[in-house]
Amino acid sequence: MWTEGYMPVQMLIHLTVMMAVYVGANYFLKKIGKGIPAFPQAILIWLGTYSYFKFAVAPPLPSTLLYTFMGLVTIVIFLFISSTEQGWTDFKRPILGTLMAVNPMYKGVRTFSFVVLPLLIGYGTYDFNVPKFDEPIDLRTVHPAPPASTTVRGQNFTLQTAQNPYRVEDNGEYMEPGHEKKYFKSNVFEPNAPKYLQYVKEGGSIFFQNCHFCHGDNLNGRGMFAFAFVPIPANFVDPGTLAQLQETFVFWRIAKGGPGLPTESAPWASAMPPWEEHLTTDEIWKVSMFEYWHTEFFPRTWE
Amino acid sequence: MVTMLIMSLAMPFFLTPVMAQEATKAATEAAPKVEMAKDVYFKTEGPVSGNPVPELKAADYPSYNLPYPLSENRILIWSIAQQHLYFGSFVLAVPIFCMIIELVGLLTKDPVMAKKYDDLAHLLVKISLTAYSVTAILGGLLLFSFITLYPDFFKYISSLFRPVMHIYALLFLAESGTLYIYYYGWDRMAHGFAKWMHACLGVLLNVFGSVLMMLANSWASFMMSPAGVDEQGRFLGNIWNVLHNALWNPLNVHRIIGNMVFGGGIVAAYAAYKFLAAKNMEEKAYYDWMGYIAMFMAVGSLIPLPFAGYWLMREVYGFRQQMGITLMGGLLAWLFIIQAVLIGALFFSTNYYLFNGMERMRGAEKYQKYIKYILFLTTAAFIVWLTPHTLVMRPAELKAIGGQQHPIIGNFGVMSAKNGAVNTMIMTTIISFLLYQRSNKIITVKWEAWGNAALVAMFAVALVNNWWLAIYGYFIPANVRVGLSVPQVMGTLTTLFVGSAINIAMMKGSKLTGPIEWGKISVRSQYALFALAVSFTWLMALMGYIRSSVRLFWHVMEVFRDTSPWAFTHTIGFAANVMSMNVMAFWLFVLFVFWLGELTSKHAVAEARKEAARPVMAGGSE
Ligand code: HEM
């Protein structure tokens, strides 16, 4: 059902197919004179969407997001049925029918719901109040704001303006982010590879000597030690990490690691080591360049 | 043009410091020459012409011994500034509407409709007149609060902006004068050339208003992105540099457009309130019509707003990556989820209002079957729009996912997806509008099938193009990706303009299935108008807070440190409560203003209502 790399689009396609099935089924049932009334229709749409988000989406959605989605769906269903007077009247009919017990069946439903609803609400209240021992929801800031400048191994870097000294064209000029595209998928082991690729190769060795235990040999955050840590190491393949960050941000994160996280990153749980204690600034620049090259993302720029 | 206006008004003030400087120069001929220093933003050299920012201690912030949280000066300033801003936006936005509606009235050939528009514009100025004095009172209150609660900060800011502040005050006078002539001259200048002069007064009023606002914006944007001063905050002699700081123009654009939506929202809420309270069909018809016009204008301005927002945010990132990340990825990121929800609420309530509005036209049934598709597309886009970059989850859920990034919906968190989503939502809203306009018409042009095919094809191409670019955006560098939003926006705007043009051409000579039965709209739709207005005020409270708190512990970013005991960032819950209090206080105030307007407007409205019962074509503003 899910193919890596296409998943977000797949989800939207699934939803579209579900919509098409709903419209088609409705049309067909109406054709053969067995149209479903508005009220059960609304319930069916709700349950259908809920089952999809709850059971078909894997890995599961975080509960906060599931609730948000379902809240949205609930509102939209309400908007849908009440956007025409006809739909609104149809929808209200069984509710009013139940409340007023217009026939024996509704009377039965009313008696049933007058018993069951209070019980359900009672249970809900109990469940809400009973002490729970789940871990609390974590409002962690994954990408905290970097400082204006940082000192690494006695050298001061202004993060707004610093540049990776190894990001160079063959003639030694600084290579603007985006221009490295021509080197993607090239062979870094070529003896007379361009300068940029040689630095990438050096960065690669640094990565495989130091980082892949955690960040994984595919850079997807699934290294052999990864699951020993909470949070698990960053997944560089995801467009939400490297591609969102300026190169200087990555430099700063590598240099300072978990211990160097700023105040807002409470509870500073990251196991990322402060690499300034083991690598030189040059090595840090190179390894960050390797990470970008390997994942084929470009550092963020703002011009 | 506006720039020129500011410049010419400001000239005498600009000259003063320079002359003073020359005088001192002459006096100290023998002394060493003026010290030069480097501008923190423009990086140019300039003569030091002001004092450095003071170094303050917590004790330098006088405060009242009020119970917490009022003991925090910040909360007081926050609330007062918010109320002042609300009313300021109100009195800037409503004249924009008056101007447009008066012009529409002038250009309308049908005399009855023309009068109806004109009366509406007149009524609106009346409402804004009371709001105008409330704004001035709140402005005074804000000024005194600054002086008493943040004396050192205010001294510094006013030493920098001294000339700007004076121009501000003068403009305020000019604006008041114009407003009074505009309002009290309404009946006298009702015909012929005088009427056109009157309309020009309306334009002038808005020019004053906009410049006024831009000057005030410069203070806020200076605090975020200072310029024209050196690292110690010393003024470098060029006030234009101080004004023209990095975020000034993005803020100006976003706020002008934002204010227009806000003004429309308030007027729509007013109409909804009067509709619900109406005692007879005539009143209902009038206020239904008014609500529609106001909503139409609000939504017209809403459409460019996200683009202005992106520009502002891009400039924020461009100014300081740090500030951008605090906003969108860091400390304040959760507030942007609320923003996303509120913006979605705007689009949903607009569509919902239009769907309900179709009910007042016979013959709309054939278009109602499209509602489900429009809602589906909007919902799917909204799911993408509101999915945050960083998910809120339990550690157990984190492990189940195997990282912060969810492989499916995690991708929705980034800008590329958001662009695709917001363009989709705008386009579905445009589709609703086109269908709404057609609802009571049977199209008779011979090329009907071609016209429809062209419309469908155009929307299909624009939507697919938009989605494709949204996906493509994942594979290219950020600076190129920003460029993608241009074709996306172009697609959206094409559907808006070309779509409306085709639609209107198709409706030429169409048979009416019946008049718009104003007043027959459902009560639910009026709550949608309230939802629109309240979401918008909440959005203003939220975004204003975000803009202000992103400076963290700085009064003036990286120049003037905030050393008050309240320089920490409040929890999201606490901030949300303050915002909600502010929103509620504002609406109570507004009810009061409406009520005041009521006391005098009984007569005018009764007059206007008489004409209102007259049927009009759909599309309102033609
Ligand atoms: C339909 C979309 C949007 C709406 C309706 C909207 C609405 C608003 C409103 C009402 C304000 C307050 C203006 C004022 O008080 O004068 C505001 C301010 C702001 N908006 Fe937006 N906005 C939208 C899109 C965006 C986007 C996409 C961003 C950035 C990602 C953004 C960033 C901001 C910021 C930073 C402010 C603070 C400026 C200030 O008031 O000082 N907005 N917006």
Side-chain angles (χ1 to χ4, degrees):
Chain A
M1 183 160 171
W2 301 103
T3 323
E4 194 154 5
Y6 296 92
M7 293 185 192
V9 176
Q10 273 176 324
M11 174 168 147
L12 294 174
I13 292 176
H14 295 159
L15 290 176
T16 311
V17 170
M18 282 165 63
M19 173 73 186
V21 169
Y22 162 74
V23 172
N26 224 354
Y27 180 79
F28 177 74
L29 288 175
K30 243 188 225 147
K31 256 275 144 76
I32 60 170
K34 294 217 160 73
I36 308 176
F39 187 77
Q41 247 190 53
I43 306 258
L44 280 178
I45 302 178
W46 198 93
L47 288 177
T49 343
Y50 179 75
S51 325
Y52 177 76
F53 285 134
K54 178 80 186 171
F55 303 112
V57 174
L61 292 178
S63 53
T64 48
L65 201 61
L66 182 66
Y67 297 151
T68 318
F69 284 0
M70 288 322 294
L72 171 67
V73 169
T74 313
I75 292 172
V76 170
I77 291 175
F78 169 78
L79 294 185
F80 174 49
I81 43 196
S82 66
S83 60
T84 60
E85 209 51 55
Q86 183 63 41
W88 186 226
T89 320
D90 286 351
F91 179 76
K92 281 189 304 191
R93 193 172 302 125
I95 302 176
L96 293 179
T98 304
L99 286 177
M100 295 186 291
V102 286
N103 63 29
M105 188 193 79
Y106 278 134
K107 191 158 188 193
V109 174
R110 182 172 81 174
T111 316
F112 180 74
S113 46
F114 278 18
V115 174
V116 170
L117 274 185
L119 285 178
L120 274 179
I121 294 171
Y123 176 75
T125 315
Y126 164 77
D127 187 57
F128 184 77
N129 284 305
V130 71
K132 297 217 174 61
F133 305 99
D134 293 343
E135 291 167 282
I137 281 183
D138 208 359
L139 273 178
R140 209 168 66 86
T141 304
V142 180
H143 299 301
S149 66
T150 182
T151 305
V152 180
R153 295 193 152 224
Q155 202 183 337
N156 193 52
F157 295 88
T158 306
L159 295 187
Q160 189 73 17
T161 50
Q163 288 181 335
N164 186 339
Y166 294 100
R167 162 179 279 288
V168 286
E169 302 279 3
D170 240 12
N171 59 10
E173 266 174 36
Y174 179 73
M175 176 158 61
E176 293 297 334
H179 292 235
E180 64 267 40
K181 186 164 190 181
K182 53 182 178 280
Y183 297 130
F184 286 169
K185 300 201 168 66
S186 316
N187 183 2
V188 289
F189 297 104
E190 196 85 42
N192 43 12
K195 277 207 189 98
Y196 170 83
L197 283 178
Q198 293 183 14
Y199 294 137
V200 164
K201 189 182 96 186
E202 290 169 31
S205 346
I206 300 165
F207 184 86
F208 286 103
Q209 280 159 16
N210 301 289
C211 321
H212 90 284
F213 310 106
C214 290
H215 289 285
D217 42 13
N218 276 328
L219 280 68
N220 59 0
R222 281 161 173 63
M224 58 178 112
F225 298 151
F227 290 94
F229 303 117
V230 177
I232 67 164
N235 169 4
F236 300 133
V237 181
D238 189 282
T241 59
L242 292 181
Q244 299 301 313
L245 306 169
Q246 261 175 255
E247 217 168 358
T248 53
F249 182 103
V250 174
F251 175 82
W252 164 68
R253 288 303 315 124
I254 299 175
K256 301 292 170 185
L261 283 170
T263 334
E264 68 177 278
S265 291
W268 309 284
S270 160
M272 169 79 174
W275 287 99
E276 60 179 343
E277 289 168 18
H278 309 280
L279 302 175
T280 62
T281 55
D282 292 342
E283 286 169 325
I284 297 180
W285 283 122
K286 284 178 191 162
V287 72
S288 102
M289 210 158 79
F290 165 77
E291 285 169 357
Y292 278 106
W293 175 81
H294 190 279
T295 53
E296 305 194 354
F297 286 123
F298 305 96
R300 183 140 215 178
T301 52
W302 293 100
E303 261 70 68
Chain B
M1 193 215 118
V2 175
T3 321
M4 259 165 53
L5 194 89
I6 306 181
M7 287 302 258
S8 57
L9 273 167
M11 237 23 198
F13 294 96
F14 287 146
L15 291 180
T16 349
V18 181
M19 265 159 20
Q21 205 183 296
E22 257 155 30
T24 34
K25 223 193 252 167
T28 53
E29 200 69 294
K33 59 178 175 9
V34 191
E35 188 191 347
M36 300 295 276
K38 200 158 147 201
D39 190 317
V40 281
Y41 176 66
F42 290 106
K43 306 288 175 214
T44 48
E45 293 264 309
V48 174
S49 333
N51 293 327
V53 298
E55 295 228 351
L56 302 180
K57 291 181 296 299
D60 294 327
Y61 295 86
S63 79
Y64 294 112
N65 248 337
L66 293 171
Y68 178 81
L70 295 182
S71 53
E72 277 190 24
N73 289 357
R74 169 170 53 162
I75 304 288
L76 297 178
I77 290 281
W78 177 359
S79 304
I80 297 169
Q82 184 67 64
Q83 297 302 330
H84 176 61
L85 206 89
Y86 275 143
F87 274 92
S89 309
F90 185 6
V91 296
L92 289 183
V94 172
I96 300 183
F97 283 80
C98 296
M99 177 182 79
I100 298 175
I101 296 176
E102 187 181 15
L103 278 176
V104 170
L106 263 171
L107 297 175
T108 305
K109 291 191 196 78
D110 174 352
V112 180
M113 267 323 279
K115 170 117 177 59
K116 196 172 165 188
Y117 281 119
D118 200 62
D119 287 342
L120 178 58
H122 197 176
L123 172 66
L124 292 182
V125 204
K126 167 166 289 164
I127 298 173
S128 76
L129 222 51
T130 328
Y132 199 72
S133 42
V134 179
T135 311
I137 295 167
L138 286 168
L141 191 59
L142 182 60
L143 180 65
F144 292 133
S145 311
F146 269 127
I147 296 174
T148 50
L149 298 176
Y150 285 90
D152 297 291
F153 167 71
F154 193 72
K155 194 170 153 214
Y156 173 69
I157 281 287
S158 53
S159 76
L160 268 183
F161 280 99
R162 197 171 34 207
V164 180
M165 286 180 172
H166 272 123
I167 299 170
Y168 184 79
L170 288 182
L171 274 172
F172 199 78
L173 271 180
E175 162 123 14
S176 319
T178 319
L179 182 65
Y180 287 123
I181 302 176
Y182 186 62
Y183 177 67
Y184 289 108
W186 202 287
D187 293 330
R188 234 188 247 180
M189 303 170 79
H191 302 288
F193 181 68
K195 183 65 189 166
W196 283 100
M197 286 308 294
H198 188 258
C200 290
L201 269 183
V203 175
L204 190 66
L205 184 64
N206 282 301
V207 171
F208 284 145
S210 307
V211 177
L212 198 68
M213 184 192 68
M214 285 161 67
L215 294 185
N217 287 351
S218 71
W219 308 330
S221 62
F222 173 81
M223 288 164 72
M224 277 177 94
S225 56
V229 294
D230 72 356
E231 273 178 349
Q232 304 170 34
R234 295 179 301 183
F235 179 49
L236 298 181
N238 186 344
I239 185 79
W240 176 245
N241 281 355
V242 180
L243 264 181
H244 188 241
N245 53 62
L247 297 178
W248 189 44
N249 273 324
L251 194 63
N252 283 338
V253 171
H254 198 64
R255 276 192 171 174
I256 289 181
I257 304 177
N259 283 349
M260 287 169 66
V261 187
F262 173 66
I266 297 282
V267 176
Y270 175 74
Y273 160 82
K274 301 288 287 183
F275 178 94
L276 294 177
K279 300 212 175 50
N280 53 41
M281 210 43 212
E282 234 172 81
E283 273 185 14
K284 273 193 169 180
Y286 183 71
Y287 290 111
D288 183 7
W289 174 77
M290 178 170 170
Y292 172 74
I293 298 285
M295 194 275 324
F296 184 84
M297 297 205 158
V299 176
S301 324
L302 176 65
I303 286 174
L305 202 49
F307 308 127
Y310 279 119
W311 185 39
L312 174 58
M313 198 45 69
R314 199 172 86 88
E315 296 300 312
V316 170
Y317 267 103
F319 179 75
R320 284 286 176 282
Q321 151 174 268
Q322 193 185 358
M323 207 147 62
I325 290 182
T326 305
L327 280 177
M328 304 286 294
L331 198 58
L332 300 173
W334 313 112
L335 296 173
F336 270 87
I337 301 172
I338 308 182
Q339 182 223 25
V341 172
L342 289 171
I343 291 177
L346 296 182
F347 282 105
F348 275 111
S349 31
T350 307
N351 279 299
Y352 183 67
Y353 177 84
L354 288 172
F355 299 153
N356 272 281
M358 287 183 179
E359 295 264 311
R360 53 187 170 211
M361 293 179 259
R362 233 166 281 144
E365 298 77 21
K366 62 180 176 298
Y367 293 114
Q368 284 175 342
K369 60 172 179 284
Y370 298 115
I371 290 178
K372 52 181 175 292
Y373 304 109
I374 296 178
L375 271 179
F376 169 74
L377 269 185
T378 317
T379 311
F382 189 47
I383 282 185
V384 175
W385 174 250
L386 112 167
T387 303
H389 183 182
T390 316
L391 301 169
V392 185
M393 45 191 171
R394 297 202 172 83
E397 291 171 329
L398 183 88
K399 270 183 222 155
I401 292 173
Q404 261 299 334
Q405 279 80 27
H406 192 283
I408 303 174
I409 45 92
N411 289 281
F412 295 153
V414 300
M415 214 46 129
S416 204
K418 305 290 184 210
N419 272 338
V422 78
N423 278 291
T424 307
M425 289 198 282
I426 296 177
M427 277 192 261
T428 53
T429 309
I430 297 173
I431 296 177
S432 293
F433 249 116
L434 298 188
L435 295 183
Y436 174 87
Q437 287 188 319
R438 285 177 169 214
S439 283
N440 65 342
K441 300 182 186 73
I442 296 173
I443 289 168
T444 53
V445 288
K446 281 203 207 68
W447 46 280
E448 181 188 353
W450 286 106
N452 282 336
L455 280 177
V456 171
M458 187 177 64
F459 274 103
V461 169
L463 282 170
V464 170
N465 172 52
N466 169 40
W467 297 333
W468 154 247
L469 289 176
I471 297 170
Y472 180 61
Y474 282 87
F475 300 100
I476 52 174
N479 52 348
V480 185
R481 180 163 65 234
V482 170
L484 286 189
S485 52
V486 176
Q488 280 175 318
V489 174
M490 290 317 281
T492 306
L493 292 183
T494 310
T495 59
L496 174 62
F497 291 118
V498 180
S500 310
I502 297 182
N503 208 40
I504 289 171
M506 285 178 76
M507 289 185 305
K508 274 260 156 64
S510 57
K511 272 214 312 267
L512 286 189
T513 49
I516 299 182
E517 298 169 44
W518 291 111
K520 278 219 169 149
I521 197 165
S522 68
V523 169
R524 297 185 298 281
S525 68
Q526 303 299 305
Y527 291 114
L529 290 184
F530 278 127
L532 191 76
V534 174
S535 311
F536 211 77
T537 42
W538 226 96
L539 200 57
M540 287 174 76
L542 179 77
M543 300 311 285
Y545 169 71
I546 291 180
R547 196 249 311 128
S548 193
S549 57
V550 70
R551 286 171 293 135
L552 304 174
F553 43 81
W554 297 99
H555 285 312
V556 177
M557 197 70 192
E558 293 165 13
V559 170
F560 192 168
R561 210 177 160 107
D562 180 354
T563 46
S564 68
W566 324 284
F568 59 94
T569 304
H570 274 295
T571 60
I572 294 167
F574 181 88
N577 284 340
V578 178
M579 291 172 213
S580 307
M581 289 303 294
N582 276 329
V583 172
M584 274 198 296
F586 172 67
W587 280 102
L588 285 178
F589 251 139
V590 167
L591 280 183
F592 172 70
V593 170
F594 286 170
W595 176 77
L596 274 185
E598 200 68 346
L599 289 182
T600 51
S601 69
K602 286 257 150 63
H603 170 71
V605 176
E607 281 291 293
R609 273 201 306 260
K610 278 200 200 107
E611 278 104 35
R614 193 175 168 280
V616 207
M617 288 219 308
S621 60
E622 69 264 76

